[in-house]
Amino acid sequence: MNPNGTISEILSHKGNTVWSISPDATVFEAIQIMADKNVGALLVTENDKLVGIISERDYTRKVVIKGKASRTTAVREILSSHVIHVSPSSTVEECMRLMTDHHFRHLPVLDGDRIAGIVSIGDLVNWIISAQHTTISQLQTYITGVPA
């Protein structure tokens, strides 16, 4: 396992299931899906095309704090429409840099115009931890001659 693997490696390991919602749905419906699926963000799609992303952070900052009603506010009113995305060939390091520089936790993966998946900061951290564990085990085996 390469510590600086590609996003396609992560997606093949974790799966490429993507939860999405229409921009016409209510914010309440979005939050309900996030809770049911135990995810922190949903891609917002129209005709299978990415038009934005909505996260728990969007909900708290654009609905709760502003006193809006989640049952009557449409997703399109609060989604983040400027969505930074990566390709399956992007590296873990590149994605971590993007997330750090732009202060977000979820990153859509597009293969051309097709949605290939989504990765979270947790996915990237788990990948790095697993890669480090593998490297340490290999080094221990090399040094001691005994498999870990």
Side-chain angles (χ1 to χ4, degrees):
M1 182 175 278
N2 180 356
N4 200 31
T6 63
I7 297 308
S8 64
E9 291 174 279
I10 290 177
L11 291 177
S12 68
H13 181 72
K14 81 165 215 158
N16 59 356
T17 301
V18 174
W19 303 108
S20 64
I21 195 160
S22 163
D24 297 322
T26 66
V27 172
F28 182 84
E29 291 170 298
I31 295 300
Q32 181 110 46
I33 292 170
M34 284 187 238
D36 291 346
K37 304 303 179 188
N38 195 30
V39 296
L42 298 174
L43 297 185
V44 182
T45 60
E46 241 175 351
N47 301 320
D48 294 325
K49 298 291 180 205
L50 181 66
V51 295
I53 190 168
I54 181 173
S55 68
E56 293 167 331
R57 184 180 285 180
D58 291 320
Y59 172 69
T60 57
R61 292 181 179 183
K62 298 174 185 175
V63 176
V64 175
I65 290 177
K66 295 193 176 188
K68 293 184 177 186
S70 61
R71 290 186 187 270
T72 58
T73 302
V75 167
R76 77 170 62 255
E77 294 177 48
I78 69 161
L79 64 79
S80 298
S81 59
H82 177 70
V83 181
I84 295 172
H85 63 275
V86 295
S87 74
S89 63
S90 298
T91 66
V92 171
E93 183 178 350
E94 291 167 339
C95 294
M96 289 192 80
R97 177 64 44 216
L98 278 172
M99 290 177 160
T100 301
D101 289 349
H102 296 283
H103 307 286
F104 53 75
R105 297 179 182 126
H106 300 88
L107 194 53
V109 182
L110 299 182
D111 191 358
D113 285 343
R114 185 184 68 79
I115 298 169
I118 187 168
V119 292
S120 70
I121 192 71
D123 296 330
L124 301 179
V125 169
N126 285 334
W127 179 267
I128 290 170
I129 289 169
S130 293
Q132 288 174 342
H133 177 73
T134 299
T135 300
I136 290 167
S137 293
Q138 290 171 344
L139 289 171
Q140 286 175 329
T141 300
Y142 176 74
I143 292 168
T144 65
V146 179

